[in-house]
Structures are given as C-alpha cells and as structure tokens.
Amino acid sequence: MLTFPLSLCMFPLAAVLGSAAPSIQNGGGTTSSCASIPAPHVPGAKVLSVKGYDRMVQVPGSAPLHSNITLSICNVDVALTHKGVNDKVLVTVWLPTPEKWNGRFQATGGGGFGAGFFDLYLGPAVAEGYSSASTDAGVTVDPWDVSKWALDKDGKVNYGLLENFSTRSIHDMAIVGKAVTKSYYKKPANYSYFNGCSNGGRQGMVEAQKYPDDFDGILANAPAVYWPQLLAADEWPQVVMQSEKTFPSECVFEAFRKAGIAACDKLDGVEGGVISNIDDCDFNPLALAGKKVECGGKSTTITLAEAWVVKKIHDGPKTTSKRKLWDVVPVGAFYNGTANHTLVNGAPHIAPFLVSSSWIKYFLKKDPNFDLSTLTYADIPKLLKQGVDEFEGITQSGNTDLSALQKSKTKLLTWHGLADQLIHHQGTIKYRKEVERRLGGGSKVDEFYRLFLAPGVNHCGALGTNDGAVPVNPLGVLEKWVEQGEAPETIPGVATDENTGAVTFTRNICRYPLVARYKGNGDKNAAESYECAPDFGSHHY
C-alpha cells in the first residue's frame, strides 16, 4: 500500500487541487481489465510500453488533510519517446473504480523544473473522483535539479528535452490520459480539465496558447509566464545583497515585511493586516533605518545598509535609462523565497532560489560550475535579454495570442496572490493586458479567460503562511463555468489562523480588474460586507 507526503516545498497541494467539486453521477458499469489497456495513439511520439495494474493507495481526505483514506485504483503507466530526442517519457494515469468515478478527467501540472509530481497530486484527484494523469516530461520529477538533463554530453542545451518540459509533454499527457480513461471505462470523460500552479500554471497557459482543444477547462494559477524574464529577475535579490555586501537576517526582513503591510494596509479603507490596494502602495524601506527590532530575544537596530538592500530589491532590475525591466518581490510578501543567504566559514554567502540559479547556470551560462556570486547589477538585464532571445521561442508561455482559445469552448481561469514571493503578480497582469490589447478589450476576453487577484496570499497559497484569504475550490468554480455556464464574478476566499486553523475572515475575490470594496457597514471580517467595484474609492471607514 502506498502513502505519500502532503506537501512539496513551494508547490502546495491545497492551492492546486479542487475539493467538493460539483458531482456528475457516472453510475457504476463495467470496465476494461486494468492489465489490458491498449496503447494510445500519440501523434509525434512512439509508445514504448503500457503497464496497468490494480492497487490500493492511501490519499489525504479533504478535511482534515492528515486523515488518510484508502482507495482502490487502476494504475496505468505509459512510456513513450520522440524521434530524434533520445528520451523516455512516463505518463501515469490513476483511475478510480467505476462507482467512484465522477465522469471527469483531470491532468495535473508540476512546479519548478518538475513537469509533474505524480502521487502527490494524483491521489487527491482520484479521491475526488477524477481519473487523473501526471508526466515527468522525460526529465525528472525534481523541481530544483536539472543536472541530469539540461545539457548534453557536449555541454550544449538539450533542446529536445527542454521542448518536452516546456510544451510537448503536457499535450502528450492530455492525449494519453483521455485515451486511457476512455479505454478503461469504455466511454470518454464527460469533461476534461488541466489543473496547475507555478510551473503548473505556466503549463496551463501553454495549453491555452498552443493546444486550446485539449481540455474543456484550464486552471492555471500563479503562472510562471514570461519564463526567461522571471527566472533572471528572481536572481536580483541575491545580486543586491552580494553587491552591497549586506545580508539582512530573516528577522530583519520580516520587520520590513510587516512595516510594508502597516504602511499600505488602510489604502483599501479597511485595517485588517492585508495589502489590498497594492497599486497605491508607496512603502519606503529607508524609513526603518535606525529602528530597533527584537530578533532571537535580543534588540537589534536596522541599519541604513539593510534598508537600502530592501529598497533595491523592491526597485527590481532596470535598464541603463532607469526603466524597470521586471518586478521581483511585492511589498508585503515574504523575502525568504528569493533573498535567502547562508554562512560559509562564518561569513554570509548568497543562497539563490534554485529554479532561478539552475536556469542561469545551465541554460544561460551553460556551465554547472558558474559562480553566481560574481554576478553584478549590470548582468541581470543582460541575462534577461539573453533568455528571451535564446529561449522565448521554445518556452512559449509568453505568447499572448489566445485567438484559438477564444474560438474554442475552453475556459481559462487564473488566480494569483498579491503577496507571491516567487512569481510577481505583475507578470500575470501584464499578460492579461496584452491579451486584451490583441483581442479587443476586457469584456471580450472575459468570455473565455478570467483572472482573480488574491490580496495577502503568497505563492500558490502555501498553507499557514498567508495574511489574506486563500481561494477556495477554484477548480469547482471553473467546472461550474464550463458545465453550467456560470461565468464567475468571484471566487470565495478564506483566511485562517496559522496556529489553530480557525477561520479569521472571509472575502469574495473579485474578477479582475474589479476589487473587493467595503460597503461601509457590516462585519469587516465577513465577505458579504464587501462588493466588487472598479476601485477602492476615496472614503476610509
């Protein structure tokens, strides 16, 4: 019997998977033998093997997560290869018994440099009644380490495997997963969905851009669109600390985070420990220089050098003409995603975000031993441009032409936290605005693509580290849009106490560009006291 962990680094389970989805009564019925699933036809690939077997798995129940349930499933592993790539790709499909199947198929995404996380996401999906698939893209399931596949034996970028990771294998997974589902249940899924966050969100956007007919609905959260720009920019905090020879402690960084929230909290008219009106937030870190904070039971004074580091991090990389190239860490977000450091022989040393550092070492520098501490302020704009020039064509997630998706019946839903410390929400807003510009405005785009911004929520809504209300069951919201025609105006959100798990407040997260504005009366912790409005207004309550 298999049991698997409930969380994985920065790519949390709860934010990616849905729960309490609308039920489709599929009924019982017969199935094909799990051991005799035929090889699916996958255009552009050759199927090497199909292995199916019945098994028992333990998966987390929906509430609480640590209460496991035991399920009987059919596990089908499909291995395939692509001509000229010398790869071996694994696609795994989990299928609940006929009486447990909800009639839907759900493909799951990955995170970092992992194309899929298999058991971690397949288990909760089948527990909700989906047939579900995951893929390794022929690379690895390691979100951090690309050493086994990024470069070939000659030290050149392995473009075949990069194409697998970037685009091709998500499409292959859709084909394989739906075909295996149809073979096993002797009928196709009523509806099919893609569900991912972070790199999984990027994978969902690739599906929307390149393969708009693969799914009926795509849930692409905190999407790592503009992949080359994002990963070069995420190295910026490390360059700032190294260049200034100043490495603030985690405690000092937390003092700046809380000060940023305090400075901008009331801009939405409500004091609640969350920055909602982040566009009008003008936090000045230099104001904290000379202030005392408690760190480890001792009083420490924030230095001007530390304040300058924080200011430079928020300013982000710029061109020589001082034009900002990319946003990095939003005010109110945790700094420990990209601004970590460590001690080497007692001296502070950079500790980069591993997805960013792997990108720079292997794909840009083509040198696994490249010393990241040698990077300067001037290098980040160059690396950003190099990444776009060399890899935008193959990563493709920044392609804003969604005309094919517009013509299809597929719906695309995205939510992004406004306190995301790894993938700045401005990249998602930039993408949405560019789609609107191409396709004739927001109302036309809203017919098939809707965006929701969650104040105070970090990367993918990682459990226990959010000041704001985390979206609840966005997959269920998407399903209502697809299956019942209910285009969402809001997604319900819930904030919980980090220690007790008790609900502290609720919000309805509004469809972009609308915001949740306090009506002026009623419980400020209750969602019904807020309305979706074009702005926060000028009145503070």
Side-chain angles (χ1 to χ4, degrees), residues 139-222:
V139 290
T140 71
V141 295
D142 191 325
W144 315 119
D145 185 8
V146 299
S147 62
K148 293 182 176 65
W149 65 271
L151 303 177
D152 62 22
K153 57 183 177 60
D154 296 321
K156 297 179 180 179
V157 171
N158 193 324
Y159 281 95
L161 291 181
L162 182 58
E163 183 179 353
N164 279 4
F165 167 80
S166 298
T167 60
R168 180 163 50 203
S169 287
I170 306 304
H171 179 54
D172 289 348
M173 175 175 59
I175 292 172
V176 170
K178 290 192 291 185
V180 168
T181 297
K182 182 179 180 181
S183 294
Y184 182 66
Y185 296 112
K186 299 184 178 179
K187 61 181 178 180
N190 297 312
Y191 298 97
S192 60
Y193 295 92
F194 178 84
N195 190 351
C197 192
S198 194
N199 177 47
R202 181 198 64 82
Q203 291 168 315
M205 300 307 290
V206 167
E207 277 290 321
Q209 298 158 17
K210 194 174 176 66
Y211 310 108
D213 297 317
D214 276 355
F215 299 101
D216 299 298
I218 299 169
L219 184 60
N221 301 326

Side-chain angles (χ1 to χ4, degrees), residues 17-25 62 102 104 106 125 127-130 193 473-480 483-484:
L17 297 166
S19 61
S23 175
I24 291 180
Q25 295 300 321
S62 56
N102 65 15
R104 301 182 182 93
Q106 180 186 152
E128 295 288 350
Y130 301 87
Y193 295 92
N473 191 24
L475 181 58
V477 172
L478 176 61
E479 287 173 356
K480 284 186 177 180
E483 299 170 21
Q484 302 174 29

